[in-house]
Amino acid sequence: MNSVWQKALDCFKEEVSTSNYRTWFSKTSATLENNKLLIETPSSFVKDQLTTKLRPLVEKVVTSLYGKVELEFSVNPSLGGQKEEVENSLELSLPISVNLPNNNLNTRYTLENFVVGLSNNLAFAAGQAVVQNPGISYNPLFIYGGTGVGKTHLMVGIGHALRKKNPNLRIIYCSSEKFTNDFVQSIQSKRTGDFRAKYRSCDLLLVDDIQFISGRDATQEEFFHTFNELQSKNSQIILTSDRSPHEIDKLEGRLQSRFQGGLMVDIQQPDFDTRVAILKAKCQEKGDIVSQECLTLIAGGMPTNGRELEGKLIQILQASKLNNQPLNLDFVKKFLGKTYQLTKIDHKKVVLGINHYFNIKSADLVGPRRQKELVIPRQFAMYLLYEECKLPFERIGELLGGRDHTTIMHGVDKIKEGIQRDREMQRILIEIKQTLAS
Ligand code: ADP
Ligand code: MG
């Protein structure tokens, strides 16, 4: 480590907690050349943090030491520790909550405005049963399904309904990441007693996206005891997850069996009728009037989830207001045509993004070499070209140096499989998608 950067590192050490320092700064390196400070980071994840959230701090320290210099960031994997950092960063990057107020339930999500259809009627019925008989009939209630299908909405809606029945109910709603953060924080500040007092004394515990507890041994241990204590007091527990308990990787067996010990219900992607009804409900909520035939058209495209539907509706409403055009069938048709083209990602961008992310040359990505370290980047390229650019297998094969379409199919499947169960793969995919979106 050169002494120029060491001074800056010493400053960062002063400014942030030890664990944050270790995660975000300890493996960085930098050189100063002609008024330009080149900062190298071990992973794109660290780089992202330094260039966004931590940028003000970096600038402050750098300016105080070197005066006004230009900053440039790059990734240098040889600085090491990529895996570890991604693991740790979740615990450290999110804001640490001190006290959960008893009213942090999103008021937009109620059972009254939850649209019930074929895809979710079992889950809804289970929710109603829990409202009738909390802590007894279905404890825990485990709601699982893909993203945007309404898991959080339903869970929060149950929370509101129970609060209505009993306004004094002590409710904690948190994501599993928040639970983890609170726990880690409580250890660091030697206040695990407070942490336990808080989480074990509620009447209703709602934990969103419990799948992220995967691989976190200490948190799982803590959650196990929280769970047992609440259950023994007949306090209701509701969990959501993007997959069923036995599909959650690196989940302790005893937690898996606890999660399966109440009622598990899944929510599917909404069918066409439910999609139309969701759109209608969203219009009503916003006070906008959109004709049935327009809603039908918006819902009719590709199968999507509640979140995407709402997003599309908001875009269309905005566009019609901005352009001062009536929201009629013609307008929707034109709009959908345009956005489909706009959202389509260019294949060149995908290839460049992959090269950049994995730090490999384009020639290597499309080349014939079969080295292990090229396999994963290639498969991610195949997957993204297929899923994001909607290209046929044959065309992807051409783009990737004349590969056979069966090779492409195999590659796409590999990633599909991988992201179902492997958190590291999920992280990589999210990171690449973020760089593509920016
Ligand atoms: P998830 O937690 O499953 O990812 P959310 O609960 O956050 O999904 O839902 C995403 C969006 O879609 C929210 O705005 C939600 O209100 C809406 N949504 C999803 N399903 C329904 C439904 N059945 N009725 C009304 N809104 C829904
Ligand atoms: Mg959710």
Side-chain angles (χ1 to χ4, degrees), residues 93-111:
S93 65
L94 294 156
I96 312 280
S97 72
V98 187
N99 226 332
L100 289 165
N102 205 10
N103 57 2
N104 67 339
L105 294 179
N106 189 333
T107 50
R108 283 182 53 221
Y109 296 161
T110 64
L111 290 186

Side-chain angles (χ1 to χ4, degrees), residues 108-109 113-116 120 145-154 208 274 278 281-282 306-307 310:
R108 283 182 53 221
Y109 296 161
N113 65 14
F114 187 81
V115 173
V116 184
N120 59 26
T147 161
V149 296
K151 302 180 297 290
T152 300
H153 186 145
L154 180 60
D208 219 350
T274 312
I278 290 177
K282 295 295 168 197
R307 184 171 300 136
E310 187 175 15

Side-chain angles (χ1 to χ4, degrees), residues 92-304:
L92 299 162
S93 65
L94 294 156
I96 312 280
S97 72
V98 187
N99 226 332
L100 289 165
N102 205 10
N103 57 2
N104 67 339
L105 294 179
N106 189 333
T107 50
R108 283 182 53 221
Y109 296 161
T110 64
L111 290 186
E112 286 75 22
N113 65 14
F114 187 81
V115 173
V116 184
L118 282 177
S119 54
N120 59 26
N121 55 2
L122 285 178
F124 185 78
Q128 283 178 314
V130 166
V131 173
Q132 294 298 318
N133 243 338
I136 297 161
S137 38
Y138 301 132
N139 204 12
L141 176 62
F142 190 98
I143 306 169
Y144 66 100
T147 161
V149 296
K151 302 180 297 290
T152 300
H153 186 145
L154 180 60
M155 177 166 77
V156 169
I158 299 169
H160 283 303
L162 283 168
R163 151 100 36 75
K164 217 187 246 170
K165 273 179 69 177
N166 176 4
N168 296 323
L169 205 69
R170 287 163 302 176
I171 305 178
I172 293 185
Y173 164 83
C174 63
S175 63
S176 68
E177 278 148 335
K178 199 164 203 168
F179 183 89
T180 305
N181 288 335
D182 273 6
F183 178 53
V184 170
Q185 182 76 0
S186 79
I187 294 174
Q188 283 168 357
S189 56
K190 303 198 169 55
R191 301 178 72 147
T192 46
D194 292 351
F195 172 87
R196 291 188 180 131
K198 179 172 107 185
Y199 279 95
R200 298 186 190 183
S201 67
C202 64
D203 307 303
L204 174 63
L205 178 64
L206 311 172
V207 184
D208 219 350
D209 290 315
I210 192 71
Q211 76 271 8
F212 288 127
I213 206 170
S214 150
R216 299 182 184 285
D217 295 342
T219 308
Q220 289 191 21
E221 166 95 26
E222 183 63 28
F223 191 70
F224 178 74
H225 295 298
T226 307
F227 188 103
N228 285 346
E229 180 136 348
L230 291 177
Q231 204 180 38
S232 70
K233 291 190 298 190
N234 288 339
S235 297
Q236 178 71 43
I237 301 162
I238 308 181
L239 308 169
T240 74
S241 166
D242 69 351
R243 68 201 65 189
S244 69
H246 73 268
E247 289 169 319
I248 301 177
D249 196 28
K250 298 186 196 137
L251 177 68
E252 277 186 34
R254 56 184 185 169
L255 271 183
Q256 187 184 318
S257 72
R258 286 292 184 288
F259 292 174
Q260 292 170 334
L263 180 69
M264 291 191 289
V265 279
D266 70 327
I267 302 185
Q268 301 285 333
Q269 297 281 337
D271 56 281
F272 175 69
D273 289 338
T274 312
R275 296 206 294 272
V276 176
I278 290 177
L279 281 172
K280 210 181 236 168
K282 295 295 168 197
C283 285
Q284 254 160 22
E285 225 173 83
K286 297 179 209 311
D288 286 298
I289 299 167
V290 182
S291 73
Q292 177 80 12
E293 52 180 2
C294 285
L295 294 183
T296 310
L297 195 64
I298 300 170
M302 282 181 278
T304 63

